[in-house]
Amino acid sequence: MSVDPILRVSNIETYYGQIQAIRSVSLEVPRGRIVAVLGANGAGKSTILRTVSGLMDPERGSVSFDGKDIVHMAPDLVMRRGMCHVPEGREIFPFLTVSDNLAMGAYTRRDIDGIARDMDVCFSYFPVLRERASQRAGLLSGGEQQMLAISRALMGRPKLLLLDEPSLGLSPILVTQIFNIIRRINQEQGVSILLVEQNAHIALKTADYGYILEVGRIVLQDECRVLLEREDIREFYLGQKDTGVRGARRWKRKKLWRS
């Protein structure tokens, strides 16, 4: 897909004990682009991000970030190289203030003036965080905590941002707001983004390229504008079933794109 991707994942296989979670998964994230991995709950989306960021080691395969093999590299070293992971469930520090959470995102940095400027940038993306700057993070709403988790990752000045289910548990209005900011972060700061998401519609509207994951395998990939036009994607992921003759025939086949 890209001559010089910032992330290249090749045939990784990752296990939880004896259970294989992902099977020969390969994907790329071009520099400055947004890539989405879509799939149902339990398909292995979060495992891909954990493997990429170093939280889990693959049994097989390779992960190359910014031209360097990072398999078996400690997660903090991966982060120092420019990859920041926003996990599912946010995992903010609930007893620290919003400002202190943001400062924790910059713990590897020593440029005090730059940290202050980046904090202002985060507040410009999410003004409510400025209003809550001295408040304990655990008292924020779910949407505000997601904003804080994304902002904390930005404080590390990432080259690549990993986002795990940013829409989880949020109202449709908040989902739209957060995904608009994700697109702005990509366009204004040039941050590459690997996004895993169950909300296929908003993900495909936001990302440039998409992969469909089923039971640990990539079963389909294409530009998001193309995926949005596919009737099988619209039927099974967007809930827009074709009730005509062609749709009925496809429905009988059930498994539409499996090899």
Side-chain angles (χ1 to χ4, degrees), residues 154-190:
L154 290 178
M155 292 299 295
R157 286 194 174 174
K159 301 174 186 176
L160 175 64
L161 188 60
L162 309 181
L163 298 176
D164 193 349
E165 300 282 7
S167 74
L168 187 65
L170 304 185
S171 69
I173 292 176
L174 278 176
V175 170
T176 299
Q177 291 176 355
I178 285 177
F179 273 81
N180 285 339
I181 296 299
I182 289 171
R183 173 56 80 177
R184 282 185 58 194
I185 290 168
N186 169 253
Q187 294 176 341
E188 296 173 6
Q189 299 193 34

Side-chain angles (χ1 to χ4, degrees), residues 135-151:
Q135 182 176 319
R136 283 187 177 182
L139 300 178
L140 300 177
S141 69
E144 292 165 350
Q145 289 185 16
Q146 186 65 70
M147 296 173 190
L148 178 56
I150 294 172
S151 297

Side-chain angles (χ1 to χ4, degrees), residues 92-259:
I92 55 158
F93 301 105
F95 297 108
L96 297 182
T97 65
V98 167
S99 292
D100 287 342
N101 268 270
L102 293 176
M104 288 297 291
Y107 79 98
T108 62
R109 298 171 55 184
R110 297 294 179 265
D111 56 324
I112 295 175
D113 291 342
I115 291 172
R117 286 194 298 270
D118 287 348
M119 196 172 292
D120 282 338
V121 170
C122 292
F123 288 150
S124 72
Y125 287 138
F126 303 111
V128 68
L129 296 183
R130 189 189 298 274
E131 299 171 12
R132 307 278 196 272
S134 60
Q135 182 176 319
R136 283 187 177 182
L139 300 178
L140 300 177
S141 69
E144 292 165 350
Q145 289 185 16
Q146 186 65 70
M147 296 173 190
L148 178 56
I150 294 172
S151 297
R152 183 180 61 186
L154 290 178
M155 292 299 295
R157 286 194 174 174
K159 301 174 186 176
L160 175 64
L161 188 60
L162 309 181
L163 298 176
D164 193 349
E165 300 282 7
S167 74
L168 187 65
L170 304 185
S171 69
I173 292 176
L174 278 176
V175 170
T176 299
Q177 291 176 355
I178 285 177
F179 273 81
N180 285 339
I181 296 299
I182 289 171
R183 173 56 80 177
R184 282 185 58 194
I185 290 168
N186 169 253
Q187 294 176 341
E188 296 173 6
Q189 299 193 34
V191 178
S192 308
I193 297 173
L194 178 58
L195 162 74
V196 304
E197 189 46 77
Q198 287 190 61
N199 187 330
H201 186 266
I202 192 73
L204 291 174
K205 287 287 189 180
T206 303
D208 302 298
Y209 199 88
Y211 293 86
I212 306 297
L213 189 71
E214 286 194 356
V215 198
R217 282 196 177 92
I218 300 291
V219 295
L220 185 65
Q221 65 183 74
D222 212 326
E223 293 183 6
C224 289
R225 61 178 180 79
V226 176
L227 293 177
L228 277 168
E229 294 301 318
R230 286 184 60 115
E231 294 182 1
D232 45 8
I233 296 294
R234 290 162 56 189
E235 180 177 336
F236 286 95
Y237 285 91
L238 306 181
Q240 300 171 353
K241 183 178 177 182
D242 183 350
T243 56
V245 174
R246 287 191 305 162
R249 288 173 180 169
R250 280 195 307 278
W251 181 254
K252 290 178 181 180
R253 289 201 297 270
K254 295 184 179 179
K255 296 183 179 180
L256 302 177
W257 54 67
R258 289 188 187 277
S259 57

Side-chain angles (χ1 to χ4, degrees), residues 13-116:
E13 298 186 357
T14 304
Y15 290 74
Y16 290 96
Q18 299 298 314
I19 300 174
Q20 187 171 8
I22 51 179
R23 307 163 184 269
S24 298
V25 165
S26 296
L27 59 84
E28 293 182 358
V29 179
R31 293 181 188 275
R33 305 291 292 277
I34 302 177
V35 172
V37 178
L38 309 177
N41 189 33
K45 304 186 303 298
S46 295
T47 305
I48 291 176
L49 293 194
R50 294 188 189 111
T51 304
V52 167
S53 65
L55 294 175
M56 299 180 68
D57 288 330
E59 292 291 327
R60 299 178 183 83
S62 64
V63 179
S64 174
F65 172 58
D66 205 17
K68 182 176 179 60
D69 186 359
I70 59 171
V71 171
H72 305 305
M73 184 179 290
D76 65 307
L77 297 180
V78 174
M79 182 268 176
R80 290 173 188 270
R81 291 188 59 83
M83 183 190 300
C84 291
H85 184 178
V86 180
E88 181 182 354
R90 297 129 198 175
E91 296 188 12
I92 55 158
F93 301 105
F95 297 108
L96 297 182
T97 65
V98 167
S99 292
D100 287 342
N101 268 270
L102 293 176
M104 288 297 291
Y107 79 98
T108 62
R109 298 171 55 184
R110 297 294 179 265
D111 56 324
I112 295 175
D113 291 342
I115 291 172

